[in-house]
Structures are given as structure tokens and as C-alpha cells.
């Protein structure tokens, strides 16, 4: 069996015929597998990748630097903020009439956390060991119940996470969500390119090295899967997108949604105040009325250290990737010609060398390419930033246990602290050094209204609505 003619031609034109070097040694199944992968390559995107890589080599600087002007003055929104009272009813109304949908991006490989499977199955509940999916989607189900309308959810998977994510949803009965109101859609993969030669790497003799095309792959993949129409058919006008690795995320907070609606924005995005220059969050910047996000790794050090007269960092609006989009804006962006730009990262990617030996480099040898959701910002007519308290909405799980930031220990601590704070608001004290966890069904203090003020929690427990479930006897799983 010869390689299909059209594939050979495309590869030769792109200078990539080397990926067929083991073709004669492959069995039929291996040949079919490699051919399928190569057929799926979008050669126009491949050209863009090579151009992005060549520009990076030639200039070594991100053009976004040039347009950095200032940080937009976002409105501050916190539970104590009296103006939240004005926006909240608008958000609650939108939830009650079923105008709001959700998009969860869960296609990442979780390589820093060293996950084997989807990050969403990671057990993060401080006491219950509930997974990220159980926590985030259990809360989504609770919001649907509170407002009497389920929130349709589109979840983005990738070739790395798709099958396992779907099986996990089935095993957990969709966490209380209506399966008819959940849409899985899969993002595209892009090949990794050798830094030296800009050629594709082989992960095995019959397999090129591929990686998901970044969370910004969401727009194209959702549109291709019919997801924009899927939302529209359900009467959805706004969708909030969030990431799987932030168990405190509150993309459907009514005050946040209300600000989006009242400000009539194409995009409303949550930010936290970046306090130190080395915090690893991208910042929202504005130039000539156009908003964009600059990744922390792309912000030149001197700029990252500049401070305003009041002591805050000049670039202090840290993006936490919780965005509410007007659905019509997403549809316009998807229909437009311009695709989101490709960003490249230098990574150590294992590969098969010319002699067929597997090499596992310890330093970067390849470019990986990703699109970012926040590159939609410059296309928006109006972007509103909402400053939230990180203690209420941001605890990202990025790094493995024992790391200095964003580790499972940090995330669990943040969850316990938030639970203690909510309990104290309804007058329930928690003994020092005792861990407590809120079940996903508890959205805010309203769900704790039946607890007895003045009572005290003395043992580690998971609080489920009116009852307190004691824990700490070695029982391995939470019933939540
Ligand atoms: P990160 O950019 O932190 O990547 O993803 P990651 O895959 O979780 O972890 P590393 O970088 O390999 O260590 C932030 C969010 O974007 C999603 C992730 O699933 C997570 O919710 N994401 C990321 C995608 O959906 N697709 C991608 O291609 C990349």
C-alpha cells in the first residue's frame, strides 16, 4: 500500500515528506492511522504556524507589546459592594428566563499538574475528594435548580480528554445536569514543529506529535459542532465560559451577569488585582479603546514592575479566564474571516529520531501552537472588566503537590477558607485548624440560612445544605 497521492503532494509542497520515512516498515493498521492523521491537517493553518514560528525567530518579540497603553479602569464588584445590589436582579432575571448558557473548556493536557487523564477528574475536595468536574458542574446544576431553568452547558474536550470525560460524565450521571442540555464538542489538534527545522515530529513511527490547539480553539470547534445554533435554539443570548481548573469559579454569579447585561457588553470578564509583578496571570490592557490580554510571560519586566501613584501595579487587572459573551458576538466572530492568532510555546516534546529511537529531550526542542480565547477581546465593541475578590472566585490548580503556588494544597486551602467565611456570615463558627468544605449544592449564604447562628463546628465536615455531614473517619468518598 502506497501513501495516498494527495497526502504525498501536500507533504512535499510543505517540505514535510520526512514524516513518511517509516512508511515501508508499518503494517496496514499503522499506515491507515498515519494517513488519517495527515489527512486531517489543515494546510492553510499549517502555513500560518510556520509563519508564526518564522516571525518569532526573526523578531523575538511579541507585537502586542507595542500597543500596551494602560490598564482599563474596571468596576469593582464584591459581595459588599452596594452597587452589586443593582446588577444582581438583572442577572437573576436572565437566569430565571433561561437566557444564559455556559461553556466549560476542558481540553487541556494538564501537563504541569502531571495528570494522566482529564484535569476535571482530579480529586480536589479538601475532605470529600470530590473532583473538579463534580464541584463545578454540581454547582451549575444547583444554579439551574435555584432559578428554575437548567443552564445549557457546552463542554470542550480534545483528543487527549474526550473519551474519558464522556465516560466520567456517564458514570456520575451528569452531576445532576440534564444530559439533553449538555453538548460535548472537540477542539482540533495541531502538530508540533521542530525548532531547528520547522518540520513535524513523529511521536511514533505511525503517529505525528499533536497537541490541542489551545482554549481559543473553542470558537472554531463550537461553531463547527453546531454549538452556536444549539445555544440559540434554546433561547440563549449570553454564554459564560470558564476553565476546569478553578473550583472557585463563579461564571454564573448573578451580579457578574447583571453587569454584563446592564453595560450592554459583547464581553464581560472577571479580573483579580495583580499585586506583585511575578504573579503568573495575564493582564488586561487597553490601547486606543481596544482591549486585549497580555500573557504574564509576554509582559516586559520593567513594565510589569511599574506602579501607579496609589501603589497599585500599573498593569493590575489580572485575567482569570471567566468571560461572559454575547452569543451574537461569538456568532459574528465565528463567521468572520479572521481566525484567532496562533501563539507559540517552546516545549520539550519526545520524538522518534531518524534511526527510529525514541528521544526524550530535557530542553525545548519544539514549538507547540495554541489559540487563546482572550484574543476575541480586540474584536469586541465593548469589553467590561469586573474586579472580583480572588478569595471568592479564583484558585487555579496548575502545579503538582509541593509547588510554591497553584498546587492542590493551595487550592484546598482556598476552598476551606471560603467555606469558613461563608459559614461565619451566617453566624456559624469553625474551630481553629478544622477543615470544612461546602457541597457544590451550596451556591452562597442563602443555602446556609437554616443553619443555627451561634453554632460551632468542631470536626472536619462537608456542609450539605441544612445538615452537616461529619467526616474524618476514613470514609473515602463524599456522597455529594
Ligand atoms: P492551561 O492553559 O492552564 O493548560 O489551561 P492545561 O492543559 O490545563 O495545563 P498545562 O499548561 O498543560 O499544564 C487552562 C484551561 O484551558 C483549557 C484547560 O483544560 C483549562 O481548563 N484548555 C487548555 C483547553 O480546553 N484546551 C487547550 O488546548 C488548552
Amino acid at each position: 500500500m502506497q501513501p495516498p497521492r494527495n497526502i504525498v503532494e501536500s507533504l512535499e509542497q510543505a517540505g514535510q515528506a520526512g514524516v513518511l520515512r517509516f512508511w515501508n516498515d508499518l503494517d496496514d493498521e499503522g499506515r491507515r492511522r498515519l494517513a488519517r492523521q495527515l489527512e486531517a491537517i489543515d494546510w492553510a493553518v499549517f502555513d500560518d504556524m510556520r509563519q508564526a514560528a518564522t516571525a518569532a525567530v526573526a523578531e523575538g518579540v511579541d507585537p502586542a507589546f507595542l500597543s500596551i497603553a494602560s490598564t482599563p479602569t474596571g468596576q469593582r464588584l464584591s459581595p459588599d459592594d452596594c452597587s452589586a445590589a443593582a446588577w444582581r436582579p438583572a442577572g437573576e432575571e436572565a437566569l430565571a428566563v433561561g437566557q444564559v448558557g455556559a461553556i466549560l473548556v476542558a481540553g487541556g493536557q494538564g501537563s504541569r499538574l502531571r495528570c494522566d487523564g482529564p484535569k476535571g477528574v482530579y480529586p480536589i475536595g479538601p475532605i470529600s475528594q470530590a473532583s473538579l468536574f463534580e464541584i463545578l458542574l454540581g454547582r451549575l446544576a444547583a444554579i439551574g435548580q435555584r432559578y428554575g431553568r437548567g443552564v445549557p452547558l457546552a463542554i470542550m474536550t480534545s483528543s487527549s480528554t474526550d473519551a474519558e470525560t464522556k465516560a466520567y460524565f456517564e458514570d456520575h450521571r451528569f452531576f445532576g445536569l440534564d444530559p439533553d442540555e449538555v453538548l460535548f464538542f472537540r477542539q482540533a489538534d495541531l502538530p508540533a514543529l521542530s525548532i531547528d527545522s520547522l518540520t513535524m515530529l513523529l511521536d511514533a513511527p505511525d503517529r505525528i506529535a499533536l497537541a490541542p490547539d489551545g482554549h481559543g480553539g473553542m470558537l472554531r470547534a463550537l461553531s463547527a459542532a453546531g454549538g452556536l445554533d444549539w445555544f440559540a435554539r434554546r433561547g440563549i443570548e449570553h454564554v459564560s465560559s470558564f476553565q476546569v481548573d478553578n473550583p472557585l469559579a463563579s461564571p454564573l454569579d448573578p451580579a457578574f451577569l447583571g453587569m454584563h447585561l446592564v453595560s450592554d457588553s459583547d464581553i464581560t470578564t472577571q479580573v483579580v488585582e495583580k499585586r506583585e509583578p511575578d504573579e503568573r496571570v495575564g493582564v488586561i490592557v487597553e490601547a486606543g479603546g481596544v482591549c486585549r490580554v497580555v500573557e504574564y510571560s509576554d509582559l516586559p519586566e520593567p513594565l510589569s514592575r511599574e506602579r501607579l501613584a496609589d501603589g497599585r501595579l500599573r498593569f493590575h487587572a489580572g485575567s482569570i479566564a471567566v468571560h461572559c459573551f454575547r452569543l451574537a458576538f461569538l456568532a459574528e466572530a465565528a463567521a468572520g474571516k479572521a481566525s484567532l492568532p496562533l501563539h507559540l510555546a517552546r516545549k520539550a516534546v519526545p520524538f522518534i529520531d531518524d534511526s527510529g529511537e525514541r528521544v526524550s529531550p530535557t530542553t525545548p526542542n519544539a514549538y507547540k501552537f495554541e489559540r487563546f480565547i482572550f484574543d476575541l477581546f480586540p474584536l469586541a465593541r465593548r469589553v467590561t472588566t469586573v474586579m472580583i475578590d480572588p478569595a471568592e472566585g479564583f484558585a487555579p490548580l496548575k502545579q503538582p503537590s509541593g509547588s510554591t503556588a497553584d498546587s492542590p494544597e493551595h487550592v484546598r486551602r482556598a476552598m476551606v477558607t471560603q467555606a469558613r467565611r461563608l459559614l461565619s456570615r451566617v453566624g456559624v463558627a469553625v474551630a481553629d485548624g478544622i477543615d470544612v468544605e461546602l457541597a457544590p449544592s451550596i451556591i452562597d449564604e442563602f443555602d446556609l440560612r437554616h443553619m443555627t447562628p451561634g453554632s460551632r463546628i468542631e470536626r472536619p465536615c462537608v456542609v450539605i445544605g441544612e445538615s452537616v455531614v461529619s467526616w474524618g473517619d476514613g470514609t473515602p468518598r463524599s456522597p455529594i
Side-chain angles (χ1 to χ4, degrees), residues 105-112 119 156 187 212 214-215 243-244 398:
V105 291
Q109 294 174 305
S111 41
R112 283 169 289 171
K119 221 190 222 183
M156 181 164 86
Q187 67 182 111
H215 45 63
Q243 302 193 330
V244 76
K398 302 285 183 193

Side-chain angles (χ1 to χ4, degrees), residues 121-298:
V121 310
Y122 192 95
I124 197 65
I127 292 164
S128 67
Q129 301 295 312
S131 66
L132 287 159
F133 278 141
E134 286 177 284
I135 292 167
L136 290 167
L137 301 176
R139 198 174 307 135
L140 193 67
I143 289 170
Q145 283 202 343
R146 178 184 285 187
Y147 293 98
R149 292 289 288 256
V151 178
L153 168 75
I155 170 163
M156 181 164 86
T157 62
S158 64
S159 52
S160 313
T161 64
D162 189 64
E164 231 183 294
T165 300
K166 286 176 175 159
Y168 192 78
F169 271 58
E170 293 285 346
D171 286 351
H172 291 78
R173 284 176 290 169
F174 282 68
F175 318 100
L177 298 169
D178 176 351
D180 291 337
E181 298 300 306
V182 176
L183 174 77
F184 292 93
F185 67 104
R186 199 164 126 171
Q187 67 182 111
D189 284 319
L190 293 175
L193 295 186
S194 148
I195 290 177
D196 291 337
S197 58
L198 297 190
T199 53
M200 292 190 273
L201 296 170
L202 286 175
D203 185 37
D206 61 355
R207 207 170 55 224
I208 50 175
L210 293 171
D213 65 350
H215 45 63
M218 180 272 271
L219 184 62
R220 188 184 279 217
L222 182 66
S223 161
L228 294 166
D229 295 337
W230 183 82
F231 277 126
R233 277 199 304 280
R234 287 164 169 73
I236 298 301
E237 294 182 14
H238 306 276
V239 284
S240 252
S241 77
F242 60 114
Q243 302 193 330
V244 76
D245 51 14
N246 175 15
L248 294 192
S250 52
L252 296 170
D253 176 68
F256 168 63
L257 296 177
M259 268 206 81
H260 173 73
L261 297 163
V262 172
S263 62
D264 188 27
S265 298
D266 283 338
I267 303 175
T268 302
T269 187
Q270 293 183 6
V271 295
V272 297
E273 184 177 336
K274 179 173 170 177
R275 290 171 197 272
E276 298 302 330
D278 53 0
E279 278 174 41
R280 295 158 78 88
V281 287
V283 287
I284 307 217
V285 304
E286 186 182 22
V290 175
C291 257
R292 66 179 66 225
V293 175
V294 175
E295 278 279 73
Y296 61 85
S297 49
D298 288 342

Side-chain angles (χ1 to χ4, degrees), residues 321-332:
V322 176
H323 316 296
C324 188
F325 298 101
R326 206 160 54 83
L327 188 66
F329 164 73
L330 285 184
E332 280 158 30

Side-chain angles (χ1 to χ4, degrees), residues 175-469:
F175 318 100
L177 298 169
D178 176 351
D180 291 337
E181 298 300 306
V182 176
L183 174 77
F184 292 93
F185 67 104
R186 199 164 126 171
Q187 67 182 111
D189 284 319
L190 293 175
L193 295 186
S194 148
I195 290 177
D196 291 337
S197 58
L198 297 190
T199 53
M200 292 190 273
L201 296 170
L202 286 175
D203 185 37
D206 61 355
R207 207 170 55 224
I208 50 175
L210 293 171
D213 65 350
H215 45 63
M218 180 272 271
L219 184 62
R220 188 184 279 217
L222 182 66
S223 161
L228 294 166
D229 295 337
W230 183 82
F231 277 126
R233 277 199 304 280
R234 287 164 169 73
I236 298 301
E237 294 182 14
H238 306 276
V239 284
S240 252
S241 77
F242 60 114
Q243 302 193 330
V244 76
D245 51 14
N246 175 15
L248 294 192
S250 52
L252 296 170
D253 176 68
F256 168 63
L257 296 177
M259 268 206 81
H260 173 73
L261 297 163
V262 172
S263 62
D264 188 27
S265 298
D266 283 338
I267 303 175
T268 302
T269 187
Q270 293 183 6
V271 295
V272 297
E273 184 177 336
K274 179 173 170 177
R275 290 171 197 272
E276 298 302 330
D278 53 0
E279 278 174 41
R280 295 158 78 88
V281 287
V283 287
I284 307 217
V285 304
E286 186 182 22
V290 175
C291 257
R292 66 179 66 225
V293 175
V294 175
E295 278 279 73
Y296 61 85
S297 49
D298 288 342
L299 188 66
E301 225 225 87
L303 283 181
S304 75
R305 299 194 170 281
E306 276 182 30
R307 297 220 174 241
L308 301 170
D310 62 8
R312 285 179 306 160
L313 287 173
R314 177 174 162 216
F315 298 104
H316 60 262
S319 172
I320 63 165
V322 176
H323 316 296
C324 188
F325 298 101
R326 206 160 54 83
L327 188 66
F329 164 73
L330 285 184
E332 280 158 30
K337 281 216 171 59
S339 54
L340 298 181
L342 289 164
H343 296 257
L344 70 178
R346 292 172 169 77
K347 299 268 173 159
V349 175
F351 65 100
I352 302 292
D353 69 11
D354 286 348
S355 59
E357 288 297 312
R358 188 167 178 82
V359 182
S360 296
T362 49
T363 52
N365 63 318
Y367 291 120
K368 278 190 176 178
F369 298 82
E370 289 194 334
R371 301 184 200 276
F372 297 153
I373 293 182
F374 53 65
D375 281 324
L376 283 168
F377 283 30
L379 307 180
R381 186 182 40 90
R382 179 173 300 151
V383 177
T384 295
T385 55
V386 176
M387 183 73 76
I388 65 152
D389 179 353
E392 296 289 348
F394 186 49
L397 178 62
K398 302 285 183 193
Q399 308 287 350
S401 186
S403 306
T404 51
D406 304 341
S407 71
E409 296 83 20
H410 290 93
V411 174
R412 292 190 183 113
R413 185 65 23 226
M415 292 175 73
V416 168
T417 307
Q418 192 205 31
R420 293 176 73 102
R421 197 172 37 247
L422 261 190
L423 286 162
S424 84
R425 280 195 205 138
V426 294
V428 176
V430 182
D432 285 350
I434 294 299
D435 283 354
V436 282
E437 179 179 340
L438 300 179
S441 55
I442 296 175
I443 307 166
D444 53 29
E445 303 89 302
F446 181 77
D447 297 311
L448 297 174
R449 65 194 180 283
H450 300 297
M451 297 203 69
T452 316
S455 59
R456 187 176 163 84
I457 294 175
E458 304 276 359
R459 295 179 54 202
C461 64
V462 179
V463 178
I464 304 178
E466 301 161 36
S467 56
V468 176
V469 175

